[in-house]
């Protein structure tokens, strides 16, 4: 029987390994995957296939988070926001974390290949490897384009959900991919603007460090414009109705305004508002997609 001290150690270890999977990001991944699956499946919706897709995609998102934490442990140790994470804080060791990440990656592929199809499994594996190797290991350390290009991995969940439901990728899935791809830069930069000096000290060439805050805010504004225009293509394609078109337009106008305000009247408060609002915007847009499909 375990002692109180042993139970406390076990709880802490479980908490640390859960933190490595980045649960909040995984939740966002699952929301966007679920919406894409719902729209793609329509009348042929299968609860069993849906559950398998959510499990497989959740494992993939968790794997990407674990491998990201493993590769970035040296950088995380240099930044106040991340130095208390399990690896830089020394509460877990790299080898078991690497094995954990590999196990999650294999599990994701097996679940999706067995329960859905090889296309969905292959897309999930691509997202994991792209995020871990192309974004985390390479671009994040070498290029200010890391956010835009690295966003490809973060935009994959709708493609996985659509492929799992239908066995193929159609135009609406690419629009959902585009929404996430264009949403990520203003979302991340709004957070990074308040921590530019931390990123500079860590030697990371993100856009606010390389181009400055004004250029970053200007680019965020134009990404917000493009995002709203792309989001309306779901209506043009006939995937959703007027309810979505009106709602997405109103939400988009609000998001564009917040990006414009952060550019033209910049302050830590406007950047924080844009960051928080970006998450609400995305959640509501995908809710509208589900409700009006």
């Amino acid at each position: 029987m375990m002692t109180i001290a042993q139970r406390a150690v076990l709880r802490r270890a479980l908490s640390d390994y859960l933190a490595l999977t980045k649960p909040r990001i995984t939740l966002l991944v699952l929301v966007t995957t679920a919406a894409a699956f719902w729209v793609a499946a329509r009348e042929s919706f299968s609860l069993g296939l849906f559950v398998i897709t959510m499990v497989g995609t959740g494992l993939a998102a968790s794997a990407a988070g674990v491998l990201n934490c493993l590769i970035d442990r040296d950088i995380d140790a240099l930044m106040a926001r991340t130095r208390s994470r399990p690896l830089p804080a020394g509460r877990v060791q790299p080898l078991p974390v690497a094995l954990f990440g590999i196990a999650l990656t294999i599990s994701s592929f097996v679940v999706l290949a067995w329960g859905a199809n090889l296309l969905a499994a292959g897309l999930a594996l691509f997202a994991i490897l792209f995020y871990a190797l192309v974004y985390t290991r390479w671009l994040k350390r070498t290029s200010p384009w890391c956010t835009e290009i690295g966003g490809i991995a973060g935009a994959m969940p709708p493609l996985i959900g659509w492929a799992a439901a239908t066995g193929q990728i159609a135009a609406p899935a690419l629009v959902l991919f585009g929404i996430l791809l264009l949403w990520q830069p203003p979302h991340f930069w709004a957070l990074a603007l308040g921590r530019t000096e931390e990123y500079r000290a860590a030697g990371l060439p993100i856009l606010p460090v390389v181009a400055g805050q004004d250029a970053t805010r200007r680019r965020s504004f134009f990404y917000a414009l493009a995002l709203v225009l792309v989001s309306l293509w779901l209506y043009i394609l006939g995937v959703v109705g007027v309810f979505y078109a009106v709602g997405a337009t109103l939400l988009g106008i609000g998001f564009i305004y917040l990006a414009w305000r952060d550019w033209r009247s910049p302050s830590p408060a406007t950047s924080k508002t844009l960051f928080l609002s970006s998450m609400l915007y995305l959640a509501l847009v995908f809710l509208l997609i589900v409700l009006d499909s």
Side-chain angles (χ1 to χ4, degrees), residues 174-251:
L174 295 176
V175 174
L176 295 172
F177 172 86
I179 290 173
L180 280 175
L181 187 66
L182 294 170
W183 171 82
Q184 288 176 90
H187 168 73
F188 170 73
W189 288 333
L191 173 67
L193 283 167
R195 299 181 178 274
T196 302
E197 294 310 312
E198 283 189 46
Y199 283 100
R200 192 190 310 277
L204 297 178
I206 63 170
L207 190 65
V209 171
V210 173
Q213 297 204 353
D214 182 67
T216 301
R217 288 183 165 99
R218 181 174 64 250
R219 193 179 294 188
S220 287
F221 171 73
F222 287 109
Y223 267 108
L225 281 175
L227 167 62
V228 175
L229 293 175
V230 167
S231 72
L232 295 177
W233 268 94
L234 290 175
Y235 175 72
I236 296 171
L237 292 172
V239 177
V240 291
V242 175
F243 176 70
Y244 168 84
V246 173
T249 299
L250 293 176
L251 288 170

Side-chain angles (χ1 to χ4, degrees), residues 14 33 44 47 52-53 58 64 67 71-72 88 97 163 169-170 175 181 193-194 199 212 217 226 245 271 281:
L14 291 175
T33 305
S44 61
L47 180 59
I52 288 171
T53 302
L67 295 175
I71 296 168
D72 267 358
V97 171
I169 296 175
V175 174
L181 187 66
L193 283 167
Y199 283 100
R217 288 183 165 99
S271 295
Y281 166 83

Side-chain angles (χ1 to χ4, degrees), residues 30-40 50 54 162 176 286-287 289-290 293:
L30 291 177
V31 168
T32 56
T33 305
F37 185 99
W38 175 265
V39 175
F50 175 76
M54 292 300 99
W162 197 282
L176 295 172
F286 273 82
L287 177 61
I289 291 170
V290 171
S293 61

Side-chain angles (χ1 to χ4, degrees), residues 89-135:
R91 296 194 302 273
V92 295
Q93 297 304 309
L95 179 57
V97 171
L99 295 175
F100 182 44
I102 293 170
L104 288 171
T105 300
I106 295 172
S107 299
S108 167
F109 186 86
V110 170
V111 167
L112 289 172
W114 167 76
N117 53 64
L118 280 174
L119 177 58
L123 290 170
L125 180 60
F126 171 82
I128 295 169
L129 297 178
F130 193 95
Y131 186 69
L133 301 179
V134 177
Y135 168 69

